[in-house]
């Protein structure tokens, strides 16, 4: 007897360069499809909060400690393989979500830079995140 495989798409992953519109696209897709919305950055921020650290402090620690990447990768992998009906923006989620529709967003660098600048004007608390991401 042949084993049946589940090939059903469970969710959508969005990847792309900084400022490409991953968050905006993810929000729109989740709202339109009635899917839950998640962000790879949220996994990172949640871990920082659990450790009582700022985003920058945790980012600096993660730069020195490879086990943090593995921990966050495992959390994403577990999440993506146990959920259904999600939209996740994350640079690496497509590696961990074998049953997702994977999208890579690319945008002109000048437009992406303007989007990031506009985001910083609206959300000044994200400046620490953007600065750390740009330095990586």
């Amino acid at each position: 007897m042949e084993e049946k495989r589940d090939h059903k798409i469970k969710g959508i992953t969005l990847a792309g360069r900084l400022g490409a519109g991953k968050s905006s696209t993810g929000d729109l897709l989740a709202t339109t499809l009635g899917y839950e919305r998640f962000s790879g950055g949220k996994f990172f921020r949640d871990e920082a909060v659990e450790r009582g650290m700022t985003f920058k402090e945790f980012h600096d620690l993660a730069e020195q400690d490879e086990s943090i990447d593995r921990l966050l990768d495992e959390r994403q992998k577990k999440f993506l393989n146990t959920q259904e009906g999600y939209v996740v923006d994350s640079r690496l989620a497509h590696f961990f979500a074998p049953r997702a529709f994977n999208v890579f967003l690319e945008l002109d660098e000048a437009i992406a830079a303007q989007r990031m600048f506009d985001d910083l004007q609206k959300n000044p608390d994200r400046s620490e995140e953007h600065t750390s991401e740009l330095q990586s």
Side-chain angles (χ1 to χ4, degrees):
M1 182 183 238
E2 194 172 315
E3 181 182 329
K4 279 190 160 187
R5 292 187 186 193
D6 181 4
H7 295 288
K8 179 181 175 188
I9 298 294
K10 302 292 184 179
I12 300 169
T13 69
L14 301 172
R17 293 184 177 80
L18 292 174
K22 296 178 296 293
S23 296
S24 301
T25 303
D27 291 345
L28 182 62
L29 280 170
T31 300
T32 302
L33 299 172
Y35 281 12
E36 287 191 68
R37 175 77 170 89
F38 299 95
S39 169
K42 183 172 180 352
F43 289 98
F44 193 91
R45 286 187 293 278
D46 288 350
E47 184 67 22
V49 168
E50 286 177 28
R51 293 175 184 233
M53 302 173 86
T54 66
F55 181 92
K56 172 99 172 74
E57 290 168 339
F58 188 58
H59 178 271
D60 291 347
L61 178 63
E63 288 287 311
Q64 304 299 316
D65 184 350
E66 292 179 12
S67 70
I68 292 172
D69 279 342
R70 287 190 295 277
L71 170 74
L72 294 171
D73 290 350
E74 285 303 315
R75 283 187 177 187
Q76 275 195 69
K77 189 184 303 184
K78 181 178 180 184
F79 170 82
L80 293 167
N81 286 290
T82 58
Q83 300 296 311
E84 204 170 306
Y86 60 80
V87 176
V88 176
D89 70 89
S90 166
R91 291 187 192 144
L92 297 177
H94 62 283
F95 287 114
F96 308 129
R99 295 181 302 192
F101 183 76
N102 302 307
V103 179
F104 184 85
L105 301 173
E106 195 163 350
L107 192 61
D108 177 80
E109 289 179 7
I111 295 170
Q114 184 63 53
R115 288 176 49 79
M116 290 174 59
F117 178 78
D118 293 345
D119 184 44
L120 288 173
Q121 300 306 305
K122 291 182 216 166
N123 303 298
D125 56 316
R126 291 195 60 192
S127 66
E128 194 173 273
E129 292 179 37
H130 284 309
T131 302
S132 295
E133 288 174 353
L134 289 170
Q135 291 173 347
S136 294

